[in-house]
Amino acid sequence: MELVTISDIEAAAKRVQDVAVRTPLLLQTWDPRETLWLKPESLQPVGAFKVRGAFNAIATLDDERRTRGVIAYSSGNHAQAVAYAAQRYGVPAVIVVPDIAPRIKVEATRGYGAEVIEVPIGEHEGKARELAAERGLTLIPPYDDAAIIAGQGTAGLEIAEDLPDVDVVLVPVSGGGLASGVGTALKARAPHARVIGVEPALAGDATEGHRLGRQVDWPQADRARTIADGLRAQPSDLTFAHLRAVVDEMVTVTEDEIREAMRTLARKARLVAEPSGAVTTAAYLFHEAELPAGKTVAIVSGGNADPALFAEILAG
């Protein structure tokens, strides 16, 4: 299987440089260890890192395919990213989402002009593929695509450039596109750094698979238990191959740890993080013994928190 290369990621960086925010690395002075930097991808135009991959994927399409339109399936952040990128390119977009997707993400996707179709959880990928065939649309998958992986990897390039002596990079893992791209970039540009994938324990399929050296399948109902709605997917063959090659270790965090990390990010870092975006900070705060020591970057992958849930967690 052919893996994404550093050259692919560098080409993607040129394509997305006028769209994706070059998010800063923020040293957290409240941290008594003074070894934590946050990379707030929550500050991207769509509130999550997904804009990097979506824009790169659409940028690589020829004019004919763009004119016909694109389609995507997503629980929310990839949905917004594809809708936003399509709007910027002036092409039609159809997004299929599970009916339990957070309303804030669904409405934001509609706000970018996309046609949104809601289906029961577990059926959104199949429905998107069916509609792609029926309407002649190009499918932009959330992670199982080389252009998506290369686009997400641009975040890793920025980390290597902004903190060349970084020791540890914590990356959320769901379908694995972000970790695949970031890990590839870091192995090429900061090879001394350890890349650690982080998952909710309730959706820890990639962690189990990484330990066993083979993919495992967790039922959708099990993965749906986590509050981190953006981390309920499973790696594909493509992303799992990348994870095996460029992710050094995997760590899982509990639901209570995710909630506490959200509170910490809001109160001390002044950042709004959705549950999926807080898992890396949770790993840093509560799993020090499982992590290598040194300068650590935690990617805050998204900030599209449901307002009611966010208020409930802050009040906790």
Side-chain angles (χ1 to χ4, degrees):
M1 182 179 296
E2 189 172 341
L3 303 186
V4 168
T5 67
I6 188 63
S7 296
D8 297 326
I9 296 172
E10 289 172 339
K14 293 178 181 177
R15 297 187 190 105
V16 306
Q17 64 183 355
D18 293 329
V19 177
V21 173
R22 187 189 177 97
T23 52
L25 292 184
L26 306 174
L27 175 62
Q28 299 306 293
T29 56
W30 53 265
D31 167 35
R33 287 177 268 168
E34 295 189 350
T35 57
L36 176 64
W37 281 257
L38 299 176
K39 186 166 179 63
E41 288 292 289
S42 51
L43 302 182
Q44 292 293 349
V46 300
F49 74 94
K50 293 282 191 177
V51 70
R52 297 175 182 270
F55 199 87
N56 187 54
I58 293 178
T60 60
L61 299 179
D62 58 37
D63 291 341
E64 180 185 353
R65 295 172 77 191
R66 283 193 205 138
T67 299
R68 289 202 305 266
V70 297
I71 188 167
Y73 56 91
S74 167
S75 64
N77 285 336
H78 180 65
Q80 295 177 75
V82 172
Y84 174 75
Q87 183 187 64
R88 287 288 297 261
Y89 267 107
V91 303
V94 178
I95 313 293
V96 184
V97 302
D99 55 12
I100 64 167
R103 291 297 93 190
I104 186 174
K105 296 181 180 180
V106 174
E107 294 311 315
T109 302
R110 286 199 175 98
Y112 291 122
E115 175 188 351
V116 177
I117 298 172
E118 299 186 54
V119 298
I121 187 171
E123 297 180 15
H124 52 308
E125 179 178 352
K127 185 64 174 179
R129 293 186 182 280
E130 175 188 320
L131 290 173
E134 287 179 2
R135 302 190 189 182
L137 304 172
T138 296
L139 180 67
I140 308 293
Y143 50 86
D144 188 27
D145 182 87
I148 293 288
I149 293 171
Q152 318 304 28
T154 60
L157 276 185
E158 294 171 8
I159 293 171
E161 291 169 358
D162 293 346
L163 192 66
D165 57 345
V166 60
D167 295 300
V168 184
V169 178
L170 302 172
V171 192
V173 175
S174 180
L178 178 63
S180 296
V182 167
T184 299
L186 288 165
K187 291 306 176 187
R189 294 290 175 260
H192 55 280
R194 301 285 286 177
V195 180
I196 313 296
V198 186
E199 282 187 305
L202 293 182
D205 52 285
T207 301
E208 181 182 356
H210 197 270
R211 175 175 56 83
L212 295 174
R214 59 176 173 80
Q215 287 181 269
V216 298
D217 181 35
W218 283 31
Q220 176 72 50
D222 287 355
R223 289 179 277 121
R225 295 172 300 168
T226 179
I227 192 175
D229 61 277
L231 301 182
R232 293 170 177 164
Q234 296 191 130
S236 64
D237 291 346
L238 179 63
T239 55
F240 189 77
H242 282 82
L243 296 181
R244 291 273 292 156
V246 301
V247 171
D248 297 295
E249 301 169 45
M250 294 284 299
V251 173
T252 62
V253 294
T254 69
E255 301 298 289
D256 285 344
E257 289 167 351
I258 295 170
R259 289 171 178 267
E260 185 58 35
M262 290 176 67
R263 286 190 282 268
T264 298
L265 287 168
R267 294 168 179 167
K268 296 184 177 181
R270 306 298 186 263
L271 290 174
V272 174
E274 61 189 275
S276 303
V279 296
T280 53
T281 302
Y284 180 86
L285 293 174
F286 299 106
H287 295 265
E288 179 182 1
E290 299 172 52
L291 302 176
K295 295 181 177 180
T296 301
V297 171
I299 298 178
V300 181
S301 56
N304 294 313
D306 175 79
L309 175 64
F310 190 66
E312 172 201 320
I313 289 173
L314 284 188

